[in-house]
Amino acid sequence: MSVNISKRINETEGLSGIYFKDLKSGYEINVGGDNEFHPASVIKLPLVMAIYKMASEGRADLSEKIKITYDVRVPSCGCFKAFTDEPFVSIKTLCNLAIV
């Protein structure tokens, strides 16, 4: 399986990589995994999971609204770059937007 993954990663244009480790068996796949990558969307799922866990424990309120100011937006911030104002958005909506 790793040969197929390695081949596909190596055929991909640009800088690509994957690192996988089965924590039970110790089996690893490392193709370009030592390269430094911008996390981009990879980090969104564990962050949303952590936020929902906090909400289930009563440590976060998904209905709390946060002001999305111009200074926290980055060029790749999805739909917020289309906003001409600084909206207040619920944490639940932010989580939904992160996933979609």
Side-chain angles (χ1 to χ4, degrees):
M1 182 170 147
S2 66
V3 174
N4 188 30
I5 292 172
S6 299
K7 183 176 184 257
R8 294 186 89 174
I9 292 290
N10 290 326
E11 292 173 349
T12 303
E13 287 187 36
L15 182 61
S16 299
I18 185 170
Y19 177 81
F20 167 84
K21 182 174 184 176
D22 183 320
L23 297 177
K24 287 187 178 182
S25 70
Y27 175 75
E28 292 183 353
I29 299 172
N30 185 355
V31 181
D34 296 324
N35 294 324
E36 190 172 310
F37 295 96
H38 180 71
S41 293
V42 173
I43 197 151
K44 291 179 181 179
L45 185 57
L47 284 175
V48 170
M49 290 170 62
I51 291 167
Y52 271 80
K53 182 177 188 293
M54 290 173 64
S56 73
E57 297 168 347
R59 297 186 301 132
D61 178 1
L62 296 177
S63 64
E64 179 184 344
K65 295 194 178 209
I66 298 172
K67 186 176 184 178
I68 307 302
T69 59
Y70 294 114
D71 63 318
V72 298
R73 300 179 199 186
V74 294
S76 62
C77 66
C79 67
F80 287 112
K81 65 184 171 189
F83 281 78
T84 58
D85 59 357
E86 296 182 326
F88 283 88
V89 182
S90 73
I91 292 174
K92 184 175 183 176
T93 297
L94 291 171
C95 288
N96 289 341
L97 289 172
I99 298 303
V100 298

